[in-house]
Amino acid sequence: MEKLTKYVNPNIGTIGHLLQATAPTVMYPHGMMQISPDFNSVNGDRYLADRIKCFPVGPVAIMPTKGNLDTGSDFDHDLETSCPHMYSVYLETQKIQATYSVTEHCAIFEFDFFEKSENVENHVIMIAQGVKAVSCEDKIMKTKGRYFNIDAYALCEFSEKPKSIAGIRENTYKLSFGSAKIQVKIGISFIDSEQAEYNLNKEIPHFDINKIIEDGENKWDVELNKIKVKGAENDKRIFYTALYRSLQRPYNLSEYGRYYSNYDGKIHEDNGSEFYCGDGLWDTFRCLHPLQLILEPETHKSVLASYIRMYEQSGLMPNFPFPQGDRAFMIGFHSASLFADAYVKNIEFDIEKAYEGVRKNVFERSMLPWVNAPATELDEIYYKNGFFPALAPGQSEFVKEAHKFEGRQAVSVTLEHSYTDWCAYILAKALGKEQDAEVLLKRSQNYKNVFNRETKFMAPKTADGRFIEDFNPKLSGGQGGRLYFSENNSWTYTFSVFHDIDGLIELFGGKDEFADRLGRLFTESPGTSKYDFLKQFPDSTGLMGQYTMGNEPAFHIPYLFNYTGNSCKTQRKIHEIIRLWFTDHPLGICGDEDGGAMSSWLVFSAMGFYPVCPGKPVYDLGSPIFDEIIIAADKADLTIKADGASGRAKYIKSAYLDGKSINLEHPVIKHEDLYKSAVLNLEMSKYN
């Protein structure tokens, strides 16, 4: 097994282009225990921090000190080692080397003070809610605090008995030691303190941190080796870091056969199917879940089962299921996409129960953004007239359920729910629910009702069915375009039709007109200063004209050239985007990571194919950046040979799958091709 963790650089993306930066997280794939230093960061840009305040470990935090009660320390990235499975840093203020690693539910720290304490004691500061020293004789401290904003338990065991324990302020304790090197093991649980102790004894029965580091490295190498690539070393670092990010969510919250669910406040048996939580489907339905479906089909089954469990426990099918509960974030009921994609790609799940939850969403719940409520009068207009109504200019919001800041986002709601309804249609049709299927299929065409055939832009309509006058597809809608759109403008959302791209092309008047608008998207000026545009649309980072690589609704757009017979333009744009916006640098992710969404786009696109429409068992070909890619994940087995792609050869001159020619006018591969031990040969060229 190749050692691929050496290519992962967790500091990629730790400076945000405008909004949220990533964190250098140490964890197992999907692990419950996740640790990143609590940095004294500047605007959330962790790499710019010059000081570490402490190390949060589930419901507790820990920090070593020497002779004073200051729990923070200056640090230098040149004296730091950051990996998926371990982190080590020299704390300059305290002159202490701090190193830690993790398992599924536990962590181990080693603090090297470099000298025994005589005149100055060596200390470990512990911070948590409700700290209680249970048995100093046995070197044990039990704590209860909050993790993921729910009650959690921690059991801490020290490599030697503290000389003393003293409370220094509320929920903060100082433990003093005489040795020059101290190890601390911490087990956590959402169930109870006894389970935390069991987890710790099961996973870290010793104080050998090097063994835990080695085990963690092996754990990550197994996952990273599911995709092997040949190409430039720099590209490997970018790729495997993206793969590491793609394998973090959702989190496995099972604890050896049991799990606590905040969806009903109870402890459950998992019956052999682990409980996963911590997801945001508006971000992850597009390519994160399709990637995990390929690489981790058994895990994906458990993820699907977990969504169904959360529905059964709470009465609602979640869309942003966090451990503390479903969050009413963004728009769309994209659990429908999650299940539809799994169904057409032959992943097993309880389709009856899944559809029961999805049906409740699409027929009974409000589509209002950032709201969890029953259907309102606005939803009734969608059901009856086929579009979500926008407020008229100057009209005040009168629907009490509407979010005061997020507004109606009326056009985006119509577009994304057209896709949601299509996904729900797939499930209804599979179950023989013909009446539902007929209604949902009709509603899947609602995107056409907000297309202005005169301007050829998606545009808002008032409840009486009239397009709003003087609508500007670049700038209308206020902050983030929220009156009409979700974080983007009409230039982006006009292309937000995944399930019926041919129908969208017809609205434009044909492939030539559609291709012309696509081309203009990448060169169109903002219509104002770049400063003012980004002030209004702060999510629109990674700008190329009006194209915004830094936000999820743009992910599929470069692949749409394939649908116009111009696949060479898709190939060129994919290379340009990767080379411009994904680098081996703290600024190397051009938008919000959003739980692996951005990184999974990079993984797919760097391999040369992408799921434009989850719910269809096909992938559009783009242009790989590696000379060879081998996918060897569980049942999936595909080799892609593309000599020259790691250089400047971006154009595909011919493509053969197991000797059978692929039509380059619109090149695709089928999902089933991933399971045939197939070889995809691509003849690459620098010239179109």
Side-chain angles (χ1 to χ4, degrees), residues 662-682:
I662 292 176
N663 180 7
L664 292 184
E665 186 172 345
H666 186 175
V668 299
I669 59 174
K670 299 177 181 178
H671 181 71
E672 64 188 41
D673 294 331
L674 300 174
Y675 301 87
K676 295 179 177 178
S677 298
V679 177
L680 176 62
N681 282 290
L682 304 177

Side-chain angles (χ1 to χ4, degrees), residues 393-462:
Q395 184 182 18
S396 298
E397 183 57 75
F398 56 88
V399 176
K400 67 179 186 302
E401 293 87 352
H403 194 284
K404 291 183 180 180
F405 176 73
E406 295 294 340
R408 295 188 181 183
Q409 302 178 21
V411 181
S412 294
V413 166
T414 301
L415 295 171
E416 294 204 20
H417 282 277
S418 297
Y419 170 66
T420 286
D421 289 337
W422 177 80
C423 292
Y425 156 77
I426 290 175
L427 301 175
K429 190 71 175 176
L431 291 169
K433 299 182 183 297
E434 296 299 333
Q435 187 174 353
D436 282 3
E438 182 180 353
V439 171
L440 291 165
L441 183 60
K442 181 180 178 181
R443 279 172 29 177
S444 75
Q445 297 295 298
N446 283 347
Y447 73 89
K448 296 177 180 179
N449 297 328
V450 290
F451 185 82
N452 188 323
R453 294 176 184 268
E454 293 184 8
T455 65
K456 292 184 168 55
F457 280 101
M458 298 294 177
K461 282 182 173 179
T462 52

Side-chain angles (χ1 to χ4, degrees), residues 7 54 156 200 280 357 363 393 437 485 499 616 630 642 665-666 674 681:
Y7 291 112
C54 62
C156 311
L200 184 59
F363 284 113
F485 300 99
H499 59 292
K616 293 183 179 180
I630 300 173
E665 186 172 345
H666 186 175
L674 300 174
N681 282 290

